[in-house]
Amino acid sequence: MRTVDIREQEIFLNALEIQSAVKRLDYIYQQCGTNTRLRERIETLLKLHENDSFILDKKVSMSPEGDISTVTEEVHDLTGVTLGNYHLVRQIGSGGMGDVYLAEQTEPIRRRVAVKVVKLGMDTKNFVARFNAERQALALMDHPGITKVYDAGATKTGRPYFVMELVSGEPITVFCDENRLDIKQRLSVFLELCKAIQHAHQKGLIHRDLKPSNIIVTKQDGDFISKVIDFGVAKATHGRKPGQTDLTKLALMIGTPHYMSPEQTDTQGNDQDIRTDVYSLGAILFELVTGTTIFENEDFGKKNLISIREIIQTRSVENPSLRVSRLEDVKPQIYRDRKSSKKELVARLRGDLDAIILKCLKKDRAERYSTVADLANDLRRHLSNQTIAAVKHNWLSQIRSLAKRRTKSFVATAAIAVFLIALSAFSLVSAFKANDFAEKASAAETLANERLREANSARVKAEIERLKSQTIERQYNTQNRRFRNEGACLRAISRFNKLPQNQNSARRRYYISHWLRSELDFRVADLLASSTNSFQQNGDIALLELILDEQRKEFGTSDLLIAKTLDMLGKKELEKRDAVQAAKYFRESLFIRTEIEPNGVQRIQTMLSLADALMRQGLDAEAKTYLENAKRKIELLPNPTFLQKRLHDISGN
Amino acid sequence: MSDVTRIIEAVAAGQASATDDLLPLIYEDLKRIANLKLANESVNHTLQPTALVHEAYMRLVGSKSDTWENRAHFFGAATEAMRRILIDHARRKKRIKRGGDAKKVYLVDISDPEHQDTDELLMLDEAISELELLDKQKAELVKLRFFGGMKLHDAGKLLGISSRSADRYWAYARAWLQRHISEQNQEP
């Protein structure tokens, strides 16, 4: 009987496992000896092994006209393959979007990473360009709850891949069930998740594909750690073509539309903001508490896209508590997993949680929470039995939550009230002595003052929150404009990318990062600045200081945004004639600017302001060095009129 | 219980042969769905055979008797059925285009890139048949994966070989098939 050449097969397969090309060749020569024909045939096999456009690796399809066409798809898994600096060790997961591998990175540092190889979709051509456009925004994200995306590229056959931080754990829903977390614990896991999403939103990134499998939770030293994966991936992977909706793409690439917001299914589809993520979070929370997806029994897989869209856009979601009460007792593990009985669970969800979850899932996003922070705050209010924002103007529920919060004192107060009313029927005033009154009045005054101060600082804090959410909203509007201009920007980027690799690469990087930063961060600074201008003189400084605090928390010590705030603070202090304080702010701003933009025009401005503040303190010598330095810089500017005038004003004083 | 499920269970119990009893049923069914789909769908629609096999499995066997053995027997038979449908489809196309000369299959018509895929597919099928004569197991592995849309390791399991062996066999078969095709093309 004829068989394949066993010897040839053995040498070929052994040779494949030898990584070094030289050693591999040595091995073949040694094995084949003088048998040149065998050696050549094996060499042919090895060469063909590298070929990645063989029909066997493609997906074949038939058309009604009888044509056979093929789509390149690496059906064989990539274990053992090296992509760039990453050696894929083994497959650790597989999903609608692609396969995930455990990989070893060798250069520039040795570490284990996760590599996600995306399925070859419809529009992966511009993937790398799009990813590079996103990279700056991704780099700004630094939160323990968000997995870092290190790198991206494309395989030889054009499949895009992402290199990510390696995380272990279970999808959030699986984790909560396996660990049998009760509702309160589930909410606290969810709140951690909200923090991470909030962070990303503040950096101007929307996830757009939040779903349980993208949220990995582990237990670490008794704490629940959640990690959001695939941030920025949805956007980079789904480039837009006019008229193409997320729905068509997601249906093909991702699969389950249970977490997809109505606006994502829109034919226009271009207009998405953070409230898209709020919707998905609501859908996840729904599932966490009820154990069922929002459109239960809806088998999307069997439906066409039009009817999927209709369901998402029009079918209202029932109250979570109603869902649980309707669940047949065939699913007792839902209660067991939540350490609860059906009755308890229904009662637990009815009211607040119903309202909070449904508010997230509103079809009209204007009716949803406008930020994730609002959602998280409402959940916290619910956990501390305060009135939630989702239930507005409902005095009964307010009293109910007040009663829950202070059951004991509530009963006592009610009893005292009744007693007092009864007592007032008698002559009651004489029961109090005059000095008691005075004492009480003074105590009341102190208390009132304290309350006033609290209220004031709360007002400022609220104002900050409002500004922040406004800012984020503005930022998104900006981003939306940016999305619309994406085509133009991508073309610009690809032009930069076409510049010779070695030449101008620093310039290219600068260009891209500058573009992104100017779009995102400076808008925030401007907005904060213009909002603060409307404030009263003194409130201004207080607010600016608060903003400064926030920015320091957000951006660290050196950031142009901080410099900008410092400049504004310095200006305010100068107006207040506190030159010492002003100089302090300007000095710090100058320090930051020198570090980040040594040749910026704004740096000259700050330099002049500092000189101004120093001169007002009589520190002329130090001021002079700054003035001279500024003068030299101004002379180099193409259009220095404004600065020259200022220089002149200050020097003249 | 459908006929297919009944036969699958008989096959599992050793009372029937997958090829003799299961193949005709699945073949008829797959062909019916394929024709129906190709006739009904829009012009640009294409049909992926491997997706079709999975769909047929869900319909004919379904989740109720979804066991590993049932799945294996089904895919074994469905792969062969799908291969026949696909190759028939390709051959018919070539007959229309080239006046029915089946021998011209090997001639790669470089000036006609539109039909290159069809040619490649037919050459691949020939090469697999050739491999089958020399090494039935490897050919079977390739078929389960290519025509049946099975994952390599699942296909290996069905044939009773380890994951590592499946990887090695695949690598060798893949290179061997390419070499065979190029040798065939070089012959006058």
Side-chain angles (χ1 to χ4, degrees):
Chain A
M1 200 183 101
R2 284 198 303 149
T3 62
V4 291
D5 187 335
I6 301 293
R7 178 123 183 85
E8 171 192 279
Q9 177 184 326
E10 194 192 324
I11 300 171
F12 166 75
L13 288 171
N14 288 340
L16 269 190
E17 288 179 6
I18 302 170
Q19 297 287 327
S20 147
V22 181
K23 284 185 188 158
R24 184 189 279 190
L25 209 60
D26 273 355
Y27 171 79
I28 299 168
Y29 270 82
Q30 188 200 327
Q31 292 295 316
C32 297
T34 53
N35 190 343
T36 325
R37 190 180 132 77
L38 178 63
R39 198 193 72 223
E40 278 168 5
R41 284 179 68 78
I42 290 170
E43 279 172 356
T44 309
L45 286 179
L46 286 166
K47 206 170 88 215
L48 290 167
H49 177 77
E50 299 295 321
N51 174 24
D52 48 24
S53 60
F54 185 34
I55 187 170
L56 203 56
D57 304 323
K58 299 177 183 176
K59 274 234 188 307
V60 176
S61 44
M62 304 185 275
S63 78
E65 292 78 49
D67 288 323
I68 299 288
S69 54
T70 58
V71 192
T72 305
E73 188 165 20
E74 286 155 297
V75 278
H76 65 282
D77 78 285
L78 297 168
T79 303
V81 171
T82 300
L83 299 170
N85 287 330
Y86 313 97
H87 180 72
L88 309 189
V89 178
R90 63 166 188 275
Q91 193 173 335
I92 49 177
S94 161
M97 207 177 146
D99 300 327
V100 186
Y101 294 87
L102 169 78
E104 264 159 10
Q105 181 179 6
T106 44
E107 294 283 323
I109 34 170
R110 232 189 143 75
R111 62 179 165 189
R112 303 192 115 190
V113 294
V115 172
K116 183 168 203 161
V117 185
V118 179
K119 271 193 187 154
L120 199 62
M122 284 175 290
D123 184 27
T124 45
K125 270 191 201 147
N126 294 321
F127 165 80
V128 179
R130 262 196 311 273
F131 178 80
N132 283 335
E134 278 292 289
R135 186 185 291 235
Q136 180 68 21
L138 289 172
L140 286 175
M141 282 199 303
D142 183 19
H143 193 277
I146 296 173
T147 43
K148 287 175 195 56
V149 179
Y150 300 126
D151 199 359
T155 65
K156 274 190 278 178
T157 47
R159 285 175 72 181
Y161 65 84
F162 285 97
V163 183
M164 302 176 296
E165 182 186 346
L166 189 65
V167 292
S168 59
E170 297 288 344
I172 185 165
T173 42
V174 177
F175 178 89
C176 289
D177 287 351
E178 275 180 0
N179 289 279
R180 299 206 174 158
L181 304 191
D182 61 24
I183 296 296
K184 198 175 165 188
Q185 289 169 310
R186 280 165 197 253
L187 291 180
S188 78
V189 172
F190 185 80
L191 280 169
E192 285 304 309
L193 164 67
C194 286
K195 275 188 202 159
I197 306 290
Q198 232 173 298
H199 174 85
H201 284 172
Q202 279 168 357
K203 301 290 184 190
L205 276 158
I206 319 170
H207 192 292
R208 311 208 310 173
D209 188 26
L210 286 172
K211 55 187 175 186
S213 59
N214 274 341
I215 299 153
I216 305 298
V217 185
T218 45
K219 210 171 182 176
Q220 230 173 58
D221 306 328
D223 287 333
F224 305 124
I225 314 283
S226 73
K227 289 243 181 207
V228 184
I229 60 175
D230 282 359
F231 238 112
V233 173
K235 180 152 183 295
T237 325
H238 305 156
R240 280 189 184 288
K241 288 177 187 161
Q244 195 179 42
T245 68
D246 267 10
L247 188 63
T248 38
K249 274 175 298 182
L250 292 182
L252 284 159
M253 302 190 66
I254 292 171
T256 169
H258 280 291
Y259 313 93
M260 195 191 286
S261 67
E263 63 267 21
Q264 280 176 298
T265 68
D266 237 358
T267 29
Q268 299 308 315
N270 283 327
D271 190 26
Q272 291 167 29
D273 58 23
I274 43 181
R275 290 170 295 186
T276 293
D277 282 352
V278 170
Y279 180 93
S280 307
L281 283 172
I284 293 167
L285 186 55
F286 187 102
E287 196 172 334
L288 278 178
V289 297
T290 67
T292 56
T293 49
I294 55 173
F295 303 115
E296 194 214 9
N297 298 330
E298 222 22 281
D299 190 352
F300 282 118
K302 287 192 179 139
K303 291 217 160 16
N304 66 28
L305 298 180
I306 307 288
S307 51
I308 292 174
R309 180 165 74 204
E310 201 185 303
I311 291 170
I312 294 177
Q313 292 194 342
T314 61
R315 179 165 313 166
S316 58
V317 180
E318 64 187 326
N319 272 329
S321 63
L322 186 63
R323 167 68 59 81
V324 173
S325 70
R326 274 196 323 105
L327 282 179
E328 288 169 33
D329 284 322
V330 288
K331 286 186 172 174
Q333 104 268 8
I334 287 181
Y335 319 116
R336 206 177 47 230
D337 288 347
R338 286 158 184 74
K339 289 190 201 139
S340 186
S341 69
K342 179 169 180 170
K343 210 172 137 193
E344 268 170 19
L345 189 57
V346 171
R348 184 75 180 75
L349 300 181
R350 188 177 287 149
D352 283 2
L353 287 175
D354 278 349
I356 291 173
I357 292 170
L358 289 190
K359 191 171 163 71
C360 297
L361 293 171
K362 291 281 186 203
K363 306 289 179 200
D364 177 1
R365 59 192 167 162
E367 294 177 39
R368 290 178 211 148
Y369 290 104
S370 53
T371 63
V372 177
D374 290 345
L375 161 63
N377 285 338
D378 240 7
L379 282 173
R380 271 183 222 109
R381 272 184 221 117
H382 161 73
L383 285 172
S384 58
N385 290 320
Q386 288 171 302
T387 315
I388 60 166
V391 189
K392 268 185 197 147
H393 312 304
N394 183 344
W395 63 273
L396 197 66
S397 81
Q398 291 194 19
I399 290 190
R400 199 187 298 137
S401 62
L402 182 71
K404 260 191 195 166
R405 186 160 70 235
R406 300 242 168 92
T407 315
K408 270 188 194 157
S409 61
F410 187 79
V411 171
T413 314
I416 290 168
V418 171
F419 174 72
L420 281 180
I421 291 165
L423 197 63
S424 70
F426 299 97
S427 173
L428 135 83
V429 179
S430 64
F432 295 98
K433 286 177 185 165
N435 58 350
D436 270 356
F437 267 117
E439 212 172 274
K440 282 203 162 67
S442 140
E445 202 179 335
T446 321
L447 193 69
N449 276 332
E450 201 174 295
R451 285 286 140 77
L452 199 63
R453 263 201 305 281
E454 270 175 22
N456 268 334
S457 96
R459 197 179 56 82
V460 174
K461 283 218 172 93
E463 190 60 25
I464 289 253
E465 279 303 318
R466 195 181 62 81
L467 279 174
K468 262 162 77 182
S469 68
Q470 227 180 40
T471 310
I472 290 166
E473 214 161 290
R474 279 280 285 273
Q475 217 173 334
Y476 276 97
N477 290 336
T478 311
Q479 270 231 343
N480 276 335
R481 263 201 303 284
R482 192 160 69 91
F483 291 163
R484 278 196 284 277
N485 290 332
E486 199 179 35
C489 294
L490 282 177
R491 274 195 297 282
I493 290 176
S494 78
R495 265 206 303 279
F496 296 133
N497 282 335
K498 277 182 193 138
L499 292 172
Q501 281 299 323
N502 46 357
Q503 259 178 5
N504 283 330
S505 70
R507 186 178 164 74
R508 210 166 56 214
R509 264 203 307 280
Y510 166 79
Y511 238 106
I512 293 170
S513 73
H514 183 75
W515 166 66
L516 271 166
R517 280 191 77 87
S518 59
E519 282 289 323
L520 298 174
D521 290 356
F522 293 138
R523 296 257 167 188
V524 186
D526 283 348
L527 190 78
L528 282 174
S530 62
S531 311
T532 49
N533 286 343
S534 61
F535 255 67
Q536 292 299 313
Q537 191 77 8
N538 285 332
D540 228 355
I541 288 185
L543 184 62
L544 280 170
E545 279 169 347
L546 274 170
I547 290 171
L548 188 65
D549 269 0
E550 289 293 316
Q551 287 175 332
R552 283 194 164 131
K553 268 183 242 154
E554 206 62 46
F555 306 118
T557 49
S558 285
D559 192 283
L560 287 179
L561 274 179
I562 297 176
K564 192 157 186 166
T565 311
L566 286 165
D567 282 341
M568 281 189 287
L569 271 166
K571 196 168 148 241
K572 292 288 167 203
E573 294 290 355
L574 269 190
E575 281 166 15
K576 260 179 58 191
R577 310 209 168 277
D578 187 344
V580 180
Q581 191 60 29
K584 212 180 106 195
Y585 285 132
F586 288 133
R587 216 187 283 276
E588 191 186 337
S589 164
L590 186 63
F591 186 79
I592 294 171
R593 291 188 190 283
T594 309
E595 191 180 356
I596 297 175
E597 41 154 34
N599 294 317
V601 175
Q602 193 56 48
R603 178 168 171 250
I604 308 176
Q605 284 257 36
T606 307
M607 224 182 260
L608 291 173
S609 303
L610 177 57
D612 191 7
L614 290 169
M615 279 166 80
R616 288 184 200 208
Q617 296 171 57
L619 299 168
D620 285 0
E622 198 190 343
K624 209 174 147 209
T625 59
Y626 285 115
L627 282 174
E628 273 167 8
N629 195 344
K631 199 175 160 202
R632 276 200 304 280
K633 295 253 177 219
I634 289 169
E635 277 160 5
L636 295 171
L637 290 177
N639 189 13
T641 10
F642 164 72
L643 284 173
Q644 240 153 13
K645 188 177 171 298
R646 197 149 175 240
L647 175 70
H648 184 76
D649 285 350
I650 296 169
S651 315
N653 281 341
Chain B
M1 202 194 276
S2 73
D3 284 351
V4 172
T5 321
R6 210 184 345 263
I7 296 174
I8 280 180
E9 284 177 2
V11 173
Q15 293 157 0
S17 144
T19 327
D20 294 347
D21 300 322
L22 210 47
L23 181 60
L25 273 178
I26 294 175
Y27 177 73
E28 282 312 312
D29 198 70
L30 280 175
K31 206 162 83 174
R32 201 172 46 79
I33 321 171
N35 289 339
L36 201 69
K37 287 211 170 216
L38 288 172
N40 283 347
E41 304 280 348
S42 68
V43 182
N44 288 328
H45 183 82
T46 59
L47 193 63
Q48 289 211 342
T50 52
L52 195 64
V53 172
H54 283 270
E55 193 183 318
Y57 176 77
M58 284 318 289
R59 234 198 32 251
L60 292 172
V61 185
S63 45
K64 279 207 178 113
S65 29
D66 186 8
T67 64
W68 165 253
E69 286 78 17
N70 289 354
R71 190 171 264 273
H73 291 304
F74 180 87
F75 273 88
T79 294
E80 184 52 29
M82 200 63 242
R83 188 189 71 83
R84 289 186 192 179
I85 292 169
L86 189 64
I87 298 302
D88 282 353
H89 193 82
R91 288 208 180 115
R92 200 160 49 238
K93 180 71 184 177
K94 285 200 65 97
R95 268 201 299 279
I96 296 164
K97 287 274 162 192
R98 310 257 163 91
D101 189 351
K103 294 231 154 146
K104 275 189 184 169
V105 154
Y106 286 132
L107 297 175
V108 184
D109 190 347
I110 295 164
S111 63
D112 187 9
E114 239 187 82
H115 304 292
Q116 206 179 315
D117 286 338
T118 311
D119 291 332
E120 267 188 64
L121 178 68
L122 292 173
M123 288 189 292
L124 174 67
D125 187 54
E126 280 297 321
I128 294 174
S129 309
E130 202 59 41
L131 177 63
E132 196 160 15
L133 297 173
L134 302 175
D135 191 329
K136 202 166 179 337
Q137 202 173 37
K138 288 194 182 74
E140 202 57 38
L141 187 73
V142 168
K143 281 201 269 185
L144 283 170
R145 176 158 189 185
F146 185 71
F147 294 111
M150 287 188 89
K151 284 194 187 307
L152 181 63
H153 291 179
D154 289 347
K157 198 170 161 195
L158 172 56
L159 297 174
I161 52 184
S162 70
S163 295
R164 181 176 145 81
S165 295
D167 285 335
R168 288 165 62 92
Y169 286 8
W170 172 262
Y172 182 69
R174 188 176 166 279
W176 188 93
L177 288 168
Q178 288 184 79
R179 189 179 64 191
H180 183 80
I181 291 169
S182 76
E183 282 167 359
Q184 292 293 320
N185 282 330
Q186 275 157 17
E187 276 167 23

